[in-house]
């Protein structure tokens, strides 16, 4: 696109300022970018770790294999990669995905990009154990698996979105080793899904040709072909529709122009958004995004937001010396390839104002070594605006404390804005890796919901020193919750909650008069002191408006025990047989 002399002058001043600051050089803006004194450009290239293929590209398999070799076992490394396939057909590929690797099609529909081959996650690197296959994703592709069934043996933080499998889907590793649960949304699997060894799983707004089995907790909402409600035998929790959903934003190509599609909100959703023609929603050109590269400062990100740009975070590590502040309604912050934000010196990584329609998606927040009071804050405390027509969504935003090194945070995610939708998160205080110990990666609270009318679909929260989830907002709803209590509690006294033995995994405040949950599970594995006992996994006020469906607690091999499931209801776990104690309905 030609650049006018006036624009050249402005860009020259920006480039000189950028060079003086030591920041990466900025790409030339598209014509629609807002240009003025010290303005930042929109658009630009996607950086070296976004790898784009088209059907004529040679060496595709070799490139896929090269990145997999780097990432297969690099659980806490710094590599971050995103593979994108332009619309068309690709033959004979097997895209094996390692850590921090995303793969996606660039069509408006999954069927625009077909791979006659596989997108594979297995667990050979971990001796057939898939419980640590975290942080990877597949989106917006059609697959015709070579042998008729695609293998996707993942654990937490590994979303499978907008996928069309022209065959079956196997969620277990080769050899049917351990696997600990995951998430599917807006996908169609023509054949059957076989979870086999997966302990739990959540599937939302999709279509399946069948579902083969269940272990502890299989939850479905808005899924055509899902098994009927039958918890606890077999443990299927099935909702005919999802009350509210709005799919994750995604990058696509319109001709030769990159755009970001913003799916519209659905109520009482069932099935995919893309099966019957063009999906409903709006698009933003890439020129309206500041395309961030690793090394950029928080001040620059905030300047881009302040001038009206959205953020596209390309793969890599971003150190922040202040919070990224999202203050404008309808702002999109979209990460690619598990872009990772690390707050330094105890700051908050990101703060969202109490405004309509903000969409956060596709990035990881990694706590720094200096304690942060909170890592992600959705709305300021006391937020009260009505966002029912245009909710804030938090999708595939993952939080980690420790593992990659020492990290500390008092509270990981705080949700104060009303009507927020948390659609798939894994908030994790690390139980392995570097910088792990009861006080080393201290993190008292996982998710705290103060706002009213908040909906969580796919809530994974684990290992916090105190409460994993605290909920004080009214009319909250959770569909699927997966939790493990902290492995490393040194003794009973360390987890004593006043007169209560053990902090509940999911606690609804005594002031709440309306709350509902479906398909919630908590597991204990107190390896440091197997004698620790939990009075219950779930705590809630005893009032008719607070109801739960299909709850379970499990003692893993007898490493700690639960006395009850929720409050004083539900049988105690006992022995070492790892058999769930269940409650079908509460109260």
């Amino acid at each position: 696109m030609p650049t006018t002399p006036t624009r050249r002058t402005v860009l020259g001043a920006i480039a000189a300022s950028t060079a003086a600051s030591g920041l990466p050089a900025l790409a030339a803006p598209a014509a629609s970018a807002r240009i003025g004194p010290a303005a930042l450009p929109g658009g630009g290239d996607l950086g070296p770790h976004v790898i784009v293929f088209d059907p004529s590209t040679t060496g595709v398999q070799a490139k896929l294999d090269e990145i997999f070799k780097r990432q297969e076992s690099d659980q806490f490394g710094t590599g971050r990669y995103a593979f994108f396939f332009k619309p068309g057909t690709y033959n004979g590929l097997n895209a094996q995905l390692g850590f921090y690797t995303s793969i996606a099609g660039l069509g408006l529909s999954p069927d625009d990009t077909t791979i006659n081959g596989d997108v594979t996650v297995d667990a050979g690197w971990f001796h057939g154990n898939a419980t640590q296959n975290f942080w990877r994703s597949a989106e917006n592709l059609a697959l015709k698996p070579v042998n008729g069934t695609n293998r996707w043996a993942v654990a937490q933080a590994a979303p499978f979105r907008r996928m069309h499998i022209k065959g079956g889907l196997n969620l277990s590793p080769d050899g049917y080793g351990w696997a600990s649960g995951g998430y599917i949304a807006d996908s169609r699997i023509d054949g059957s899904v076989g979870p086999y060894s997966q302990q739990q799983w959540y599937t939302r707004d999709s279509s399946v040709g069948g579902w083969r089995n269940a272990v502890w907790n299989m939850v479905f909402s808005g899924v055509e072909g899902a098994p009927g409600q039958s918890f606890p035998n077999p443990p299927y929790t099935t909702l005919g529709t999802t009350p509210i959903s709005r799919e994750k934003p995604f990058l696509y190509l319109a001709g030769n122009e990159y755009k970001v599609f913003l799916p519209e909100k659905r109520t009482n959703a069932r099935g995919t958004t893309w099966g019957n023609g063009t999906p409903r929603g709006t698009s933003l050109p890439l020129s309206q995004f500041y395309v961030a590269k690793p090394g950029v400062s928080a001040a620059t990100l905030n300047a881009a937001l302040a001038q009206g740009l959205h953020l596209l975070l390309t793969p890599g590590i971003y150190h922040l010396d202040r919070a990224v502040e999202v203050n404008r309604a309808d702002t999109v912050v979209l990460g690619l390839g598990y872009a990772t934000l690390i707050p330094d010196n105890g700051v908050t990584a990101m703060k969202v104002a109490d405004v309509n329609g903000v969409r956060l998606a596709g990035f990881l927040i990694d706590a720094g070594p200096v304690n942060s009071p909170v890592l992600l804050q959705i709305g300021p405390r006391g937020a009260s605006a009505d966002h029912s027509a245009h909710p804030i969504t938090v999708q595939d935003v993952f939080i980690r404390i420790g593992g990659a090194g020492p990290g500390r945070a008092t509270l990981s995610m705080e949700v104060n804005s009303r009507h927020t939708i948390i659609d798939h998160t894994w908030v994790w205080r690390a139980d392995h890796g570097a910088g792990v110990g009861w006080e080393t990666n201290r993190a008292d609270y996982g998710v705290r919901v103060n706002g009213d009318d908040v909906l969580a679909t796919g809530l994974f929260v684990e290992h916090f020193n105190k409460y994993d989830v605290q909920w004080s907002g009214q009319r909250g709803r959770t569909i699927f919750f997966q939790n493990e209590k902290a492995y490393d509690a040194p003794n009973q006294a360390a987890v004593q909650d006043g007169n209560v033995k053990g902090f509940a995994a999911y606690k609804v405040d005594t002031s709440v008069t309306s709350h509902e949950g479906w398909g919630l599970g908590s597991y204990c594995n107190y390896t440091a002191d197997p004698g620790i006992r939990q009075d219950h996994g779930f705590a809630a006020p005893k009032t008719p408006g607070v109801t739960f469906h299909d709850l379970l607690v499990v003692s893993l091999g007898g490493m700690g025990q639960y006395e009850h499931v929720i409050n004083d209801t539900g049988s105690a776990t006992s022995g070492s047989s790892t058999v769930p104690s269940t409650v079908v309905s509460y109260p």
Side-chain angles (χ1 to χ4, degrees), residues 183 202 413 422-427 447 449 455-462 468-469 471 477-483 506 519-521:
Y183 172 93
Y202 176 50
M413 181 190 299
I422 307 168
D423 177 43
H424 190 223
T425 188
W426 184 39
V427 182
V447 175
V449 179
L455 171 65
T457 52
L459 185 61
F460 299 72
V461 188
E462 298 188 295
D468 298 280
V469 172
W471 207 299
R477 290 176 289 183
T478 294
I479 304 174
F480 184 88
F481 171 67
Q482 186 265 325
N483 166 263
Y506 187 108
L520 284 66

Side-chain angles (χ1 to χ4, degrees), residues 341-365:
L341 309 179
I342 302 179
D344 294 328
N345 301 316
V347 303
T348 295
M350 186 173 290
K351 296 180 179 180
V352 179
D354 193 27
V355 295
N356 277 337
V358 170
R359 304 180 196 228
L360 309 181
F363 56 90
L364 171 64
I365 296 174

Side-chain angles (χ1 to χ4, degrees), residues 231-251:
F231 187 91
N233 187 26
Y236 293 132
T237 298
T238 303
L239 288 74
T241 61
T242 304
I244 306 169
S245 60
R246 188 175 69 187
E247 299 302 332
K248 178 185 172 185
F250 62 91
L251 191 69

Side-chain angles (χ1 to χ4, degrees), residues 338-465:
Y338 287 82
T340 301
L341 309 179
I342 302 179
D344 294 328
N345 301 316
V347 303
T348 295
M350 186 173 290
K351 296 180 179 180
V352 179
D354 193 27
V355 295
N356 277 337
V358 170
R359 304 180 196 228
L360 309 181
F363 56 90
L364 171 64
I365 296 174
D366 208 352
V370 178
N371 186 75
S372 293
V374 61
L375 292 172
L376 173 62
Q377 186 180 61
I378 308 300
R381 291 178 185 174
S384 60
D386 186 324
H387 304 299
S388 55
H390 304 287
I392 297 168
T393 47
V394 182
Q395 299 176 286
D396 301 347
V397 174
F398 308 116
I399 297 178
R400 177 174 68 193
I401 302 95
R408 296 172 65 91
T410 303
L411 172 60
S412 297
M413 181 190 299
E414 182 178 64
V415 181
N416 297 309
S417 286
R418 296 179 61 195
H419 305 102
T420 297
I421 301 171
I422 307 168
D423 177 43
H424 190 223
T425 188
W426 184 39
V427 182
W428 184 59
R429 175 181 166 266
D431 61 280
H432 62 274
V436 171
W438 184 248
E439 295 296 344
T440 306
N441 62 328
R442 181 85 193 186
D444 283 350
Y445 307 105
V447 175
R448 181 178 291 160
V449 179
N450 300 318
D452 295 341
D453 307 290
V454 171
L455 171 65
T457 52
L459 185 61
F460 299 72
V461 188
E462 298 188 295
H463 304 156
F464 287 85
N465 295 74

